[in-house]
């Protein structure tokens, strides 16, 4: 025990002596960037958190990049690429002037090593592996050319390859550390190097002065930030305070209620950034009474005053969502906006049609025990009718604690109550409890949404055999739209497939969309050129500029 | 020689008790009464937004203002008391009934039964109260009854320990030995001779358990383990108010003050009972 301690001490002292003066005193200018949660792991190939990409987007380069303004794919580590006519393989021609932070050169072999790591089952990749879709393998054509092969066409590939989860790490470093420890010693080719990561405390980056191979939209500022220390501010009310007190210079996910304070402070700036992907939504269980009825599902959406929710909970910082994709997602169709405007009268008459013709002593709608005249009840739910007679219109919602979802559910409860719908809310503690609740099937509404610029995110929720098919809905037509949307390389075809899918999801009233996600970022006024990538979450730290007192500003 | 002194103390006892616990008892009674009458007293529905908006500051119409979702804070505080107090009472019952049973059996039986039961209790006592409650709720899931169960279970080991010590102490008293000597059966000794004599100790620790249950219960509700977030509870309200504290401090203050007042009053009662016991 004692000997072990002394050995460890000696090793530590030796390491400290080796690292040299610049590591002890990171060069300035230095800022603190606040992260809103502590991810379970920081390895982009393994872990799935959006939070890990905020620092690591700048540690790694990707084969391609996506211009945040135009949405076009632009060269990254690959200077150009081509797709085979059948869509089953992509060939990437790599830059030859790139080297990793550890000095080793970047080449086709490095890409191969990364692909091996991501696809190996023992890596346990939670996201990166799935982003490669139906990949079957690769061929290293020469030192700077690599071909990726697929079992079927996979149109979302370039979007996947542009994300940090498929960032290219140094093979030498990957060989030196195992899957559990690499996250503490990450080495990429990006504009910042990772200096240290102390779990629960900080992750420090310093600028990579050798960086010459950035994508077209990486523009070096006049006053770059040399050192960025990421710290964790997991408690939402503390975030705006940390900016005001100077504990942090940039912070994501400011509480909407604090954002107004920020906007009114001349020393601070507010950057609301729309996040592509799914809006805040409730998936409706089509296999459980009463949401098994299409009419009831439609009525629930008509009964929801989304503008009031955005007003109260999100302080008007979010657009109301009408469909399964937020407005900044690829192939979003504005046609969904015509569906289900707030109309409690329409909701009531739909519920009447569904057989809820009477009100009990609590003011909740019920299906009368005797056959009600003039309604279509038997036609709509012929098998369920004997069981449901006399049962009040009770809807159960499972809500996670994040994203202000509990507050949204409480407003829904209040709004629905006025027309006789009884919403029971069950808040769960985290994602694993949410999944448990979903697997039990004992819910009518459950809230979950994923982010991503490519609409392929829908396939994970709405395909018949999808892992997150929590609506329980199965429809050949919708399955076809979603699978063809991922298979067809032609953007126009994809657009029509995904437009049809979005319309179908809303026609069937499979979800109750609430609001597009907006990340409320706050910074001090000294930070300038604040920009984010096309996925919305990830800052383009290379472009950030800092005003120091000496700049005369 | 000791006779006049003990008589004197006995005579003084009611006075000492009255002086210490009548005021806090009155406070508790008022709080309980108000929360019981919440349906009649609350001016608005605690779960539904009033028309006119959210984050309204205190006014004649809304004495404590409205919260982030536009609900009347006064009505929520009144209704919240029902939830908070009933959770705490249920939790206390879950603490003292099995706790008394374990403690009495353990202290009265002795031998390996005592050692086995106390080893189990000591293992649980090694965890801080709230941490134990968090572990239990992680196992049994969220909900108001689950909060009561986990908070009650977390308080159980300490109560069992106290009950055992009291029984052990009483077991060696002369009147218990006298009962044995005249051939009283064990259950009679326990129920008629030991329990009545340790009742005050147990009551005073039950009051302490209640104040723990209040604090831990509101803490779990505060952390969102109450299941349905729309159930008004002082802990839930405190959390909602904290998020908006800089913009609308009036949301967190009423539940914060009522929690403090209630716990303080309960603790005063426990203290005065303890004083009365020690003075005997």
């Amino acid at each position: 025990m004692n000997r072990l301690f002394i050995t460890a001490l000696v090793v530590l002292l030796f390491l400290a002596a080796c690292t040299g003066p610049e590591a002890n005193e990171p060069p300035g200018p230095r800022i603190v960037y606040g992260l809103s949660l502590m991810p379970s792991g920081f390895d982009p190939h393994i872990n799935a958190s959006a939070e890990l990409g905020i620092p690591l987007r700048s540690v790694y380069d990707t084969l391609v990049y996506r211009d945040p303004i135009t949405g076009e794919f632009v060269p990254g580590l690959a200077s150009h690429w081509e797709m085979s006519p059948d869509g089953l393989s992509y060939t990437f021609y790599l830059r030859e002037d790139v080297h990793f932070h550890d000095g080793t050169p970047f080449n086709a072999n490095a890409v191969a090593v990364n692909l091996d790591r991501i696809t190996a089952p023992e890596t346990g990749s939670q996201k990166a592996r799935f982003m490669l879709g139906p990949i079957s393998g690769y061929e290293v054509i020469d030192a700077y050319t690599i071909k990726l092969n697929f079992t079927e066409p996979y149109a979302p590939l370039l979007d996947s390859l542009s994300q940090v989860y498929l960032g290219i790490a140094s093979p030498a470093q990957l060989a030196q550390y195992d899957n559990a420890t690499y996250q503490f010693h990450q080495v990429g080719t990006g504009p910042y190097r990772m200096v240290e990561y102390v779990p629960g405390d900080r992750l420090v980056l310093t600028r990579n002065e050798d960086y010459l191979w950035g994508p077209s939209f990486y523009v070096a500022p006049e006053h770059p930030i040399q050192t960025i220390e990421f710290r964790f501010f997991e408690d939402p009310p503390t975030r705006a305070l940390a900016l005001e007190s100077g504990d942090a210079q940039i912070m994501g996910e400011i509480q909407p209620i604090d954002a107004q304070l920020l906007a009114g402070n001349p020393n601070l700036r507010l950057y609301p950034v729309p996040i592509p992907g799914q809006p805040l939504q409730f998936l409706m269980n089509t296999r459980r009474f009463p949401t098994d009825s299409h009419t009831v599902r439609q009525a629930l959406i008509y009964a929801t005053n989304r503008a009031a929710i955005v007003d109260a909970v999100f302080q008007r910082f979010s657009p109301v969502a009408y469909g399964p994709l937020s407005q900044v997602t690829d192939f979003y169709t504005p046609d969904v906006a015509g569906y289900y405007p707030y109309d409690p009268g329409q909701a009531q008459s739909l519920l009447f049609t569904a057989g809820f013709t009477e009100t009990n002593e609590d003011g909740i709608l019920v299906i009368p025990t005797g056959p009600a005249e003039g309604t279509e009840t038997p036609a709509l739910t012929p098998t369920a009718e004997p069981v449901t007679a006399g049962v009040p219109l009770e809807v159960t919602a499972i809500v996670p604690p994040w994203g202000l979802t509990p507050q949204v559910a409480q407003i829904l409860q209040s709004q629905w109550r006025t027309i006789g719908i009884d919403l029971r809310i069950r808040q769960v503690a985290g994602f694993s409890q949410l999944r448990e609740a979903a697997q039990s099937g004992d819910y009518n509404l459950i809230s979950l949404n994923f982010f991503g610029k490519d609409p392929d995110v829908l396939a994970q929720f709405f395909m018949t055999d999808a892992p997150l098919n929590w609506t329980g809905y199965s429809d050949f037509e919708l399955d076809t739209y979603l699978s063809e949307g991922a298979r067809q390389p032609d953007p126009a075809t994809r657009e029509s497939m995904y437009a049809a899918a979005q319309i179908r999801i809303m026609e069937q009233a499979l979800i109750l969309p609430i609001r597009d996600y907006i990340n409320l970022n706050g910074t001090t006024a000294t930070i300038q050129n604040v920009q984010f990538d096309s996925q919305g979450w990830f800052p383009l730290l290379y472009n950030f500029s800092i005003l120091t007192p000496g700049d005369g500003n | 020689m000791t006779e006049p002194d003990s008589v004197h103390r006995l005579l003084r006892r009611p006075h000492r008790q009255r002086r210490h616990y009548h005021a806090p008892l009155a406070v508790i009674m008022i709080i309980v009464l108000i929360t019981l009458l919440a349906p009649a007293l609350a001016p608005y529905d605690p779960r539904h937004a009033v028309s006119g908006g959210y984050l309204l500051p205190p006014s004649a119409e809304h004495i404590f203002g409205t919260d982030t979702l536009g609900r009347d804070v006064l009505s929520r505080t009144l209704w919240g008391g029902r939830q908070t107090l009933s959770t705490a009472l249920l939790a206390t019952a879950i603490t003292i009934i099995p706790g008394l049973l374990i403690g009495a059996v353990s202290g009265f039986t002795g031998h390996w039964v005592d050692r086995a039961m106390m080893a189990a209790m000591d293992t649980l006592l090694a965890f801080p109260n709230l941490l134990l409650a968090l572990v239990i709720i992680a196992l049994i899931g969220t909900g108001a009854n689950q909060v009561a169960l986990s908070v009650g279970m977390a308080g159980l080991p300490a109560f069992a320990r106290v009950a055992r010590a009291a029984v052990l102490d009483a077991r060696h008293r002369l009147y218990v030995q006298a009962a044995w000597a005249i051939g009283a059966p064990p259950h009679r000794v326990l129920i008629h001779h030991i329990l009545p004599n340790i009742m005050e100790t147990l009551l005073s620790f039950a009051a302490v358990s209640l104040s723990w249950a209040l604090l831990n219960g509101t803490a779990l509700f505060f952390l969102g383990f109450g299941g349905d977030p729309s159930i008004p509870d002082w802990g839930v309200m405190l959390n909602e108010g904290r998020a908006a504290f800089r913009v609308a401090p009036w949301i967190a203050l009423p539940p914060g003050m009522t929690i403090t007042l209630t716990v303080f009053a309960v603790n005063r009662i426990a203290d005065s009972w303890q004083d009365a016991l020690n003075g005997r």
Side-chain angles (χ1 to χ4, degrees):
Chain A
M1 175 66 205
N2 235 342
R3 191 183 299 173
L4 195 72
F5 176 74
I6 291 167
T7 315
L9 200 68
V10 168
V11 169
L12 277 176
L13 284 173
F14 179 72
L15 287 178
C18 287
T19 44
E22 79 275 23
N24 292 338
E25 192 59 56
R30 172 185 163 284
I31 63 163
V32 172
Y33 195 126
L35 300 179
S36 63
L37 65 90
M38 166 73 212
S40 55
F42 255 107
D43 190 320
H45 294 167
I46 297 176
N47 303 109
S49 159
E51 217 64 13
L52 69 83
I54 293 175
L56 296 181
R57 170 74 272 185
S58 298
V59 170
Y60 295 102
D61 283 310
T62 42
L63 292 182
V64 299
Y65 270 88
R66 215 169 164 176
D67 189 301
I69 309 294
T70 64
E72 298 294 320
F73 294 103
V74 296
L77 292 177
S79 54
H80 59 287
W81 57 88
E82 61 203 28
M83 184 185 72
S84 65
D86 59 4
L88 291 176
S89 63
Y90 288 77
T91 307
F92 293 89
Y93 301 91
L94 308 178
R95 289 184 72 120
E96 302 184 10
D97 57 347
V98 178
H99 58 84
F100 289 99
H101 302 149
D102 59 8
T104 56
F106 164 79
N107 51 35
N109 182 52
V111 178
V113 168
N114 277 267
L115 289 174
D116 286 344
R117 178 175 195 247
I118 292 164
T119 51
E122 61 269 24
T123 306
S125 173
Q126 296 158 12
K127 183 165 177 138
R129 171 65 191 89
F130 303 100
M131 294 175 71
L132 288 171
I135 192 168
S136 57
Y138 60 80
E139 295 160 47
V140 176
I141 310 282
D142 63 42
Y144 292 100
T145 312
I146 189 166
K147 188 164 125 187
L148 271 55
N149 297 318
F150 293 83
T151 53
E152 51 184 310
Y154 181 57
L157 179 70
L158 290 181
D159 181 70
S160 290
L161 288 177
S162 76
Q163 295 193 43
V164 61
Y165 305 99
L166 297 180
I168 305 299
S170 158
Q173 199 76 357
L174 289 176
Q176 198 180 339
Y177 295 96
D178 63 24
N179 285 335
T181 53
Y182 171 72
Q183 60 175 315
F184 301 102
H185 310 278
Q186 302 190 49
V187 169
T189 59
Y192 280 86
R193 334 167 166 253
M194 184 165 141
V195 178
E196 65 172 337
Y197 164 41
V198 182
D201 187 54
R202 64 184 185 277
L203 190 156
V204 182
L205 303 184
T206 58
R207 203 169 176 87
N208 176 11
E209 297 298 350
D210 301 339
Y211 192 69
L212 295 168
W213 45 83
S216 51
F217 55 88
Y218 270 18
V219 181
E222 199 182 339
H223 302 288
I225 301 167
Q226 287 300 327
T227 303
I228 306 173
E229 184 174 333
F230 293 85
R231 286 186 167 274
F232 304 99
F233 294 82
E234 300 195 57
D235 191 20
T238 63
R239 292 179 198 147
L241 277 173
L243 282 177
E244 289 172 22
S245 66
D247 287 344
Q249 283 69 46
I250 310 183
M251 184 78 71
E253 294 188 80
I254 304 281
Q255 294 193 124
I257 201 166
D258 290 333
Q260 299 285 10
L261 291 178
L262 236 73
N265 185 330
N267 298 320
L268 301 176
R269 297 281 182 273
L270 183 69
Y271 296 90
V273 179
I275 307 290
Q278 294 173 301
L280 173 57
Q281 63 181 357
F282 290 88
L283 302 153
M284 300 210 236
N285 188 349
T286 58
R287 293 188 180 160
R288 187 175 184 269
F289 176 84
T291 44
D292 55 346
S293 155
H294 180 221
T295 318
V296 170
R297 295 199 301 270
Q298 291 187 314
L300 292 180
I301 314 181
Y302 276 119
T304 305
N305 184 350
R306 284 171 276 199
I309 294 174
V310 168
D311 264 15
V313 182
F314 303 104
Q315 306 281 312
R316 294 175 207 172
F317 279 111
S318 283
V320 164
Y322 293 99
L325 293 174
S326 70
Q327 291 170 24
V328 291
T329 316
D330 286 347
F331 310 130
Y332 162 81
T333 173
D335 294 349
V336 292
Y339 284 82
Y340 315 112
Y342 174 51
D343 188 346
Q346 177 70 10
Q348 273 172 311
S349 69
L350 282 171
L351 291 173
F352 190 87
T353 314
F356 292 94
T357 53
E358 289 179 6
T359 305
N360 69 10
E361 64 276 15
D362 299 326
I364 301 302
L365 290 167
V366 289
I367 298 177
T369 31
E373 281 172 38
T375 71
E376 307 165 26
T377 316
L380 276 167
T381 51
T383 52
E385 208 265 339
V387 190
T388 55
V391 174
L393 181 47
E394 192 182 299
V395 176
T396 304
I398 312 282
V399 300
W402 56 74
L404 297 170
T405 321
Q407 279 81 343
V408 171
Q410 289 178 64
I411 298 198
L412 284 180
Q413 184 184 58
S414 181
Q415 291 178 352
W416 290 357
R417 175 74 216 217
T418 56
I419 61 164
I421 306 166
D422 185 11
L423 177 66
R424 303 289 172 94
I425 306 170
R426 192 149 71 81
Q427 183 177 337
V428 294
F431 183 72
S432 58
Q433 290 87 344
L434 193 70
R435 195 167 42 196
E436 254 169 52
Q439 277 155 2
S440 78
D442 194 17
Y443 61 91
N444 296 112
L445 307 178
I446 189 163
S447 183
L448 182 68
N449 58 298
F450 279 5
F451 301 114
K453 184 81 173 159
D454 194 281
D456 192 37
V457 64
L458 294 177
Q460 297 180 60
F461 285 79
F462 298 105
M463 296 278 278
T464 298
D465 55 356
L468 296 168
N469 182 7
W470 291 355
T471 63
Y473 184 72
S474 173
D475 175 7
F476 178 74
E477 197 179 320
L478 183 55
D479 284 356
T480 309
Y481 295 146
L482 293 175
S483 56
E484 285 305 304
R487 281 172 52 89
Q488 296 296 332
D490 173 36
T493 316
R494 295 194 77 199
E495 179 161 23
S496 65
M497 287 295 143
Y498 282 115
Q502 290 169 70
I503 296 294
R504 182 80 181 157
I505 288 166
M506 292 323 293
E507 269 175 355
Q508 289 299 314
L510 300 181
I511 59 165
L512 167 60
I514 302 291
R515 66 124 186 176
D516 285 6
Y517 203 96
I518 301 283
N519 185 9
L520 296 172
N521 296 277
T523 76
T524 54
T526 52
I527 311 288
Q528 302 194 323
N529 297 350
V530 175
Q531 294 164 4
F532 293 83
D533 84 341
S534 62
Q535 302 293 333
W537 284 114
F538 311 125
L540 305 177
L541 297 173
Y542 184 77
N543 294 5
F544 282 31
S545 179
I546 184 163
L547 290 178
T548 48
D551 294 330
N553 259 303
Chain B
M1 219 163 102
T2 53
E3 201 71 353
D5 190 32
S6 76
V7 168
H8 179 67
R9 275 195 190 171
L10 259 172
L11 284 175
R12 273 183 50 147
R13 225 180 95 206
H15 174 67
R16 292 166 63 98
Q17 285 183 358
R18 192 186 313 126
R19 191 181 57 201
H20 285 300
Y21 82 85
H22 277 201
L25 196 62
V27 169
I28 298 278
M29 300 289 273
I30 291 169
I31 290 173
V32 169
L33 200 67
I34 286 177
T35 52
L36 278 179
L37 293 175
L41 292 176
Y44 298 92
D45 186 331
R47 291 166 84 143
H48 298 283
V50 297
S51 56
Y54 48 88
L55 298 176
L56 297 177
S59 64
E61 215 170 321
H62 301 285
I63 296 172
F64 292 161
T66 63
D67 70 4
T68 45
L69 304 185
R71 299 166 302 193
D72 182 58
V73 176
L74 171 63
S75 306
R76 286 179 68 74
T77 311
L78 294 175
W79 277 92
R82 284 163 80 93
Q83 182 64 43
T84 304
L85 296 181
S86 60
T87 304
L89 285 176
L90 184 59
T92 311
I94 292 166
T95 295
I96 63 178
I97 295 168
L100 176 59
L101 207 67
I102 293 171
V105 169
S106 190
F108 193 67
T109 320
H111 307 299
W112 65 269
V113 177
D114 181 32
R115 283 199 297 278
M117 282 180 155
M118 284 306 116
M121 292 298 113
D122 287 347
T123 313
L124 292 177
L125 267 178
F127 297 96
N129 215 295
L130 184 58
L131 184 67
L132 190 55
L134 281 169
V135 169
I136 297 171
I137 204 147
L139 294 175
I140 61 176
T142 55
N145 291 334
Q146 283 86 339
V147 167
L149 184 63
S150 62
V151 168
M153 299 259 291
L156 195 152
F159 196 85
R161 265 284 179 197
V162 169
R164 172 184 173 272
V167 170
L168 270 185
D169 176 52
R171 226 175 67 169
H172 302 295
R173 297 280 166 138
L174 265 180
Y175 57 85
V176 174
Q177 288 177 8
W180 283 122
I182 59 165
H187 64 89
R188 196 179 158 78
V189 173
L190 183 60
I191 294 167
H192 289 273
H193 297 274
I194 294 181
L195 280 187
N197 284 292
I198 62 171
M199 202 44 87
E200 288 188 36
T201 310
L202 296 183
L203 269 180
S204 115
F205 199 70
V208 173
S209 299
L210 177 62
S211 78
W212 279 357
L214 271 168
L215 284 177
N216 290 344
T218 45
L220 291 190
F221 268 100
F222 178 89
L223 294 172
F225 291 109
D228 182 348
S230 71
I231 296 175
D233 173 277
W234 291 342
V236 170
M237 292 182 66
L238 210 52
N239 192 19
E240 291 165 354
R242 192 184 66 117
F245 195 76
R246 305 184 60 204
V247 185
W250 56 83
I251 303 171
L253 284 178
M257 286 169 71
T258 46
I259 293 171
T260 311
L261 192 64
T262 315
V263 172
F264 181 72
V266 172
N267 278 341
R268 284 302 302 149
I269 292 173
D271 279 355
S272 65
W273 280 345
Q274 196 62 49
D275 287 350
L277 279 175
N278 295 341
R280 186 163 56 180

